[in-house]
Amino acid sequence: MIAGPLILFIIVLEMVRRRRLREDYSLLWLGTFSVLFILSLFSRSLLDSIADLMGIAYPPTALFVVGFGLLLGVMLQFSVVITRLAKENKSAAQHIALLAARVKQLEQMLEEQDTK
Amino acid sequence: MVKRVISTFDLEQSQEAPSRRVLVIIPAYNEEESLGRVIRNVHAAEPEVDIVVINDGSTDATPDIAEGYKVNLVSLPYNQGIGSAMQTGFMFARDKNYDIAVQVDGDGQHDPREIAQLVEALIAGDADIVIGSRYIEDRGYITPWQRRIGIVILAAVVSVITRQRITDPTSGFRAINRRAIHFCAQDYPFDYPEPEAVVLFNRANLRVHEIPVTMNPRYGGQSSITPFRSAYYMVKVIMAIVIGLLRKRPDAAGEVEVVRKTTQA
């Protein structure tokens, strides 16, 4: 329970170091693993009282609930990022199409000039 | 090659000006069966106007057919949907400084002989957008009942929001003026954009006007609308419209807008 988040934390750090993951997208992951790590480290005091607060009889379940909530946050961030990428992608494709049409028109005009 | 660019464009005054530059935008996705006929019909009805075909990532011979005619061809690198294709057309119209843009679908449902009526209604000066409606007058256009229900509901929603009677919010047969061209090039809804665009126009204080038109059954190809899709689009469009109402009002930059602001101040 304690080793899991720690290992994942290190893996994410390593991916950032190798530039396979951007810093800004890694932050939510690192935050998630940190929270899970802290909760499992102080399972007696912290986790138990959180479980108590949430009305959960079996404390490890609280860990899952908290982890699940954090994962939802990460996934929501993905949707936001995908939406932005789709918007940028659309705009890029539109500009490429318009520019390609202009290049073609210019080429045709040049050809006409050459043949004259 | 160089065309005259009209810089001083005044809707109210220039009734006599015949030199307005009109662009017909034909969005086409896999319309090889009908596109040639649509282009010939537009040329026959309106020899003076320019045409731009927006090839929306077709996988068939659509771009080759367009190449065979005296038209501008803009090919999107992959299929993006009608909204993005139309926005590309409006960007083209804006960049080339056209005064009026008319959307004519590539499937042959719109009759190019009615382009003149749309443009005339636009020039008459009481509208920034003129929509050709199938339902103002009964001209024998038969809509499958499932789709009719969808259109009636959308028409009701759009009419209530815009406080104006809109009978055919899904019609893509439209003429828009320079102000609306700039607005649409800037921001145009995706997927199934027509009803949402009507609400956006209204919120941007662009004036929408409907006139009756006759629509044909499509020449060929497949309609993209299946019953499941129409249901999905209905929900998506209504949600988009309602959420759109919660956004800040869009601004259609232009002289009229500026005048309105200064008189309020």
Side-chain angles (χ1 to χ4, degrees):
Chain A
M1 268 313 222
I2 297 171
L6 197 63
I7 291 168
L8 287 168
F9 192 94
I10 291 166
I11 288 175
V12 169
L13 274 187
E14 179 60 16
M15 286 170 90
V16 174
R17 194 184 68 82
R18 291 188 189 177
R19 298 185 201 286
R20 292 197 51 195
L21 186 59
R22 263 171 54 155
E23 288 84 350
D24 44 355
Y25 299 136
S26 71
L27 282 177
L28 257 183
W29 283 121
L30 294 177
T32 300
F33 298 143
S34 303
V35 170
L36 291 181
F37 179 69
I38 290 167
L39 283 183
S40 40
L41 202 61
F42 303 104
S43 58
R44 285 288 143 211
S45 47
L46 197 59
L47 189 61
D48 285 8
S49 46
I50 286 176
D52 207 43
L53 229 100
M54 289 162 77
I56 295 170
Y58 180 59
T61 310
L63 195 63
F64 284 111
V65 172
V66 171
F68 182 73
L70 291 170
L71 283 184
L72 282 184
V74 172
M75 284 164 73
L76 192 63
Q77 190 206 19
F78 286 168
S79 302
V80 171
V81 171
I82 290 169
T83 301
R84 204 194 64 219
L85 289 175
K87 211 191 278 175
E88 291 168 356
N89 186 300
K90 182 189 89 166
S91 173
Q94 288 173 327
H95 281 93
I96 288 171
L98 289 167
L99 287 173
R102 280 172 75 171
V103 167
K104 200 165 179 194
Q105 200 188 359
L106 285 171
E107 283 174 348
Q108 275 169 359
M109 282 166 71
L110 278 176
E111 243 170 65
E112 279 166 30
Q113 268 184 0
D114 285 350
T115 49
K116 263 175 201 167
Chain B
M1 196 61 216
V2 179
K3 279 174 182 148
R4 191 154 57 91
V5 177
I6 304 137
S7 54
T8 48
F9 176 68
D10 195 333
L11 267 180
E12 266 69 43
Q13 289 179 355
S14 50
Q15 228 80 8
E16 78 289 343
S19 48
R20 260 191 207 95
R21 293 173 66 228
V22 178
L23 176 73
V24 167
I25 302 171
I26 305 178
Y29 174 54
N30 290 346
E31 300 284 10
E32 61 180 2
E33 288 175 49
S34 57
L35 183 62
R37 180 143 47 138
V38 172
I39 293 172
R40 285 194 301 276
N41 286 350
V42 173
H43 275 320
E46 300 290 339
E48 295 294 307
V49 308
D50 295 336
I51 298 177
V52 61
V53 173
I54 309 293
N55 165 33
D56 188 12
S58 299
T59 50
D60 66 358
T62 296
D64 307 328
I65 287 169
E67 294 273 13
Y69 294 90
K70 211 176 140 285
V71 299
N72 300 286
L73 173 64
V74 174
S75 278
L76 290 163
Y78 41 81
N79 182 251
Q80 301 208 25
I82 178 77
S84 174
M86 279 315 298
Q87 188 179 20
T88 310
F90 295 132
M91 289 162 94
F92 184 91
R94 178 193 62 189
D95 296 347
K96 305 268 175 182
N97 219 3
Y98 282 93
D99 300 302
I100 292 170
V102 184
Q103 175 180 352
V104 176
D105 282 352
D107 60 9
Q109 285 194 288
H110 305 151
D111 186 347
R113 285 170 299 183
E114 291 178 321
I115 291 173
Q117 293 169 36
L118 292 179
V119 171
E120 269 161 35
L122 197 66
I123 293 174
D126 55 349
D128 298 298
I129 294 99
V130 173
I131 302 175
S133 166
R134 288 162 283 186
Y135 306 116
I136 292 180
E137 284 172 12
D138 184 8
R139 297 192 178 178
Y141 183 84
I142 297 158
T143 317
W145 64 269
Q146 306 96 318
R147 205 179 303 174
R148 186 81 187 101
I149 291 175
I151 292 172
V152 166
I153 295 173
L154 279 177
V157 170
V158 171
S159 298
V160 166
I161 291 172
T162 62
R163 297 202 200 92
Q164 175 187 356
R165 185 163 165 264
I166 300 289
T167 59
D168 196 0
T170 62
S171 164
F173 196 23
R174 301 173 170 195
I176 74 176
N177 68 9
R178 183 187 288 262
R179 262 184 92 204
I181 289 171
H182 279 250
F183 180 73
C184 292
Q186 197 66 238
D187 181 23
Y188 199 68
F190 60 100
D191 259 11
Y192 193 58
E194 285 87 5
E196 211 184 320
V198 174
V199 175
L200 279 178
F201 292 147
N202 176 263
R203 287 178 55 81
N205 290 313
L206 294 167
R207 299 152 301 170
V208 179
H209 183 64
E210 276 190 327
I211 64 167
V213 294
T214 316
M215 279 197 206
N216 313 308
R218 43 191 303 122
Y219 289 158
Q222 276 292 306
S223 168
S224 57
I225 300 169
T226 63
F228 176 76
R229 271 207 199 158
S230 357
Y232 161 73
Y233 280 141
M234 272 279 297
V235 173
K236 185 246 154 194
V237 169
I238 290 180
M239 195 195 91
I241 288 173
V242 171
I243 290 188
L245 292 178
L246 303 174
R247 293 199 183 110
K248 205 171 137 258
R249 271 178 184 278
D251 249 15
E255 313 91 277
V256 184
E257 185 74 10
V258 174
V259 169
R260 201 176 54 83
K261 271 184 184 155
T262 46
T263 47
Q264 274 175 354

